[in-house]
Amino acid sequence: MLVADKAKGYPEKGEVIAVGPGDYYGYPALVPTTVKIGDIVIFSKDRAMKVDLKGGKYYILRERDCYGILEKGEK
């Protein structure tokens, strides 16, 4: 999952701009990703890797390191 680096403060939140196919979580079969591009997620910077790509700053994190997905209209 790739999240735009726009949020400052606690808790961190950002818009999902890319997702992978899922994770194995220790299981033999792939568990599909549930977050979608455009979702606003709450996460901790401590569990994310910050990268600079094409002039933008982003966080890469695993879906399991997301605390939640905000519903439309929530802040």
Side-chain angles (χ1 to χ4, degrees):
M1 172 182 348
L2 188 63
V3 178
D5 175 28
K6 292 188 176 185
K8 301 290 181 211
Y10 181 82
E12 300 297 329
K13 66 180 178 179
E15 181 178 356
V16 177
I17 59 171
V19 296
D23 196 349
Y24 288 94
Y25 298 111
Y27 300 107
L30 182 71
V31 177
T33 303
T34 58
V35 296
K36 301 178 293 301
I37 293 173
D39 283 348
I40 304 297
V41 295
I42 299 172
F43 65 98
S44 171
K45 281 197 227 181
D46 296 342
R47 305 290 295 175
M49 178 175 50
K50 188 174 184 177
V51 295
D52 294 323
L53 294 172
K54 298 181 182 178
K57 295 180 182 178
Y58 303 91
Y59 291 104
I60 298 175
L61 61 146
R62 296 177 296 190
E63 181 178 36
R64 64 179 136 180
D65 294 329
C66 261
Y67 297 132
I69 302 171
L70 294 176
E71 296 291 328
K72 299 292 181 196
E74 286 186 295
K75 295 183 182 192

